[in-house]
Amino acid sequence: MSSLPPPSKPHAILIDGKTIAAQMRAQIKSEISVLGFTPGLAVILVGEDPASRVYVGNKIKACADAGLRSMEHCLPASTPQGDIAALIDRLNADPQVHGILLQLPLPAGFESDALIQRIAPHKDVDGLTIPNIGRLVARLPGMVPCTPQGAMILIKSVCADLAGLHALVIGRSLLFGKPMGQLLLGENCTVTQAHSKTRDLPALCAQADILVAAVGRAEMIRGEWIKPGAIVIDVGINRREDGSLCGDVNFAESLPRAGAISPVPGGVGPMTIACLLSNTLAAAKQASQENIS
Ligand code: NAP
């Protein structure tokens, strides 16, 4: 007697950030084509960090594809902090510049926060100035940091109404974890924010309808920790010993258990760039409406 094939395991929906980002970029490009002027993004890169160079190169290419003007300012790591501050002041006053991006991390020795806070809030397309963080917490319109904004779009692509869901954000950085928690709270999730001092992370993961991992530790979230059917968003970008990229979540283990999961690469990463273009376009539209430099 021939045996029946084993029952097929449930399989998560793959959240395709590449495709969703491409759709966003096409929409942005079409809006720019009828704007009547060209939005401008100034990118400041300090030092020689190879990963930062790649990120900046990708952002500049994306600007060109969408019809934005990008202005690259590559400075040696020996540049005095005061010169970078003076550059930011000039860019703040330049009406051709609608967005300013200071590529992080800066080389050792710089006071990053002082430079970030110098960016005019209406040109702060990374959403990292205190006024923009405050507006996010107060639920007022402002610049929302690109990566959490992109992660939220991915979550909503598989679940439109998040009210009452338990969301676990692993990581509490200003760049990602904290704004992500605020965005989820704004969608009426019950939010738990985990960090390096959190106890019993697997138990918290087991309760999470939405799990967002932004730690920077290769595949630390095991498949067996994940609540069956959960939406899993993997923000981490890590390099394995063989040089390949992976996220903070063990993807292969999680695929049969999660309800939906974003891969690395091809998940959150492309969304960050799409949201940067979107923030720059929004800043340009606002500047033209309010006639500000
Ligand atoms: P970060 O500033 O280093 O923050 C990491 C967070 O993880 C911290 O809050 C830290 O807790 C927490 N953490 C560390 N070990 C932990 C543990 N064992 N258990 C639970 N939490 C732990 O990093 P980030 O800037 O937020 O970035 C996180 C990851 O996302 C990185 O891999 C980065 O490359 C990636 N990323 C990707 C994009 C993208 O476009 N896809 C954008 C930004 C970041 P403490 O606060 O207690 O130290």
Side-chain angles (χ1 to χ4, degrees):
M1 209 173 79
S2 65
S3 59
L4 288 170
S8 62
K9 280 190 172 177
H11 212 274
I13 296 167
L14 199 64
I15 306 178
D16 181 355
K18 239 175 155 173
T19 300
I20 296 171
Q23 287 161 354
M24 272 183 77
R25 284 165 63 165
Q27 172 66 30
I28 291 164
K29 183 174 183 165
S30 121
E31 282 188 44
I32 289 173
S33 69
V34 294
L35 202 57
F37 66 97
T38 306
L41 175 69
V43 182
I44 307 173
L45 174 64
V46 186
E48 301 292 330
D49 179 57
S52 292
R53 287 200 161 268
V54 172
Y55 293 144
V56 164
N58 290 343
K59 288 168 185 173
I60 283 173
K61 184 176 177 312
C63 282
D65 290 348
L68 276 106
R69 181 187 301 127
S70 60
M71 293 144 262
E72 203 179 345
H73 297 267
C74 294
L75 306 170
S78 56
T79 308
Q81 167 114 0
D83 288 8
I84 303 174
L87 171 63
I88 292 172
D89 291 348
R90 283 199 301 281
L91 297 172
N92 281 340
D94 184 342
Q96 305 288 315
V97 174
H98 302 101
I100 302 172
L101 186 145
L102 178 64
Q103 183 65 39
L104 300 172
L106 293 179
F110 285 97
E111 282 176 49
S112 300
D113 196 51
L115 293 171
I116 292 166
Q117 300 309 328
R118 209 167 178 106
I119 298 172
H122 63 283
K123 297 192 179 188
D124 166 31
V125 284
D126 256 345
L128 296 177
T129 56
I130 300 295
N132 280 319
I133 294 168
R135 295 182 82 79
L136 177 61
V137 174
R139 303 205 59 202
L140 293 169
M143 291 285 179
V144 176
C146 301
T147 307
Q149 189 186 149
M152 181 54 90
I153 294 169
L154 293 186
I155 294 168
K156 296 202 86 175
S157 76
V158 289
C159 184
D161 182 7
L162 310 182
L165 297 183
H166 182 196
L168 171 66
V169 181
I170 312 176
R172 58 173 166 180
S173 68
L174 211 50
L175 195 68
F176 183 82
K178 282 181 182 151
M180 188 74 235
Q182 288 299 320
L183 288 176
L184 288 159
L185 202 54
E187 292 291 331
N188 296 313
C189 290
T190 302
V191 180
T192 301
Q193 197 100 44
H195 46 78
S196 65
K197 306 290 185 291
T198 295
R199 292 183 191 163
D200 203 355
L201 192 58
L204 289 174
C205 291
Q207 297 169 25
D209 304 302
I210 301 170
L211 190 159
V212 183
V215 179
R217 290 182 62 176
E219 300 176 320
M220 71 168 272
I221 313 295
R222 308 305 305 262
E224 66 195 28
W225 298 5
I226 287 168
K227 180 175 177 179
I231 299 169
V232 178
I233 302 295
D234 194 350
V235 184
I237 304 175
N238 312 289
R239 212 164 268 288
R240 295 192 189 91
E241 278 181 10
D242 66 4
S244 61
L245 287 183
C246 69
D248 291 344
V249 177
N250 187 312
F251 185 77
E253 288 178 4
S254 305
L255 205 51
R257 202 161 161 103
I261 185 166
S262 70
V264 177
V268 174
M271 295 302 290
T272 299
I273 296 190
C275 291
L276 172 68
L277 302 180
S278 171
N279 278 356
T280 307
L281 173 58
K285 281 182 179 170
Q286 200 188 342
S288 98
Q289 276 163 15
E290 296 176 6
N291 204 16
I292 50 176
S293 68

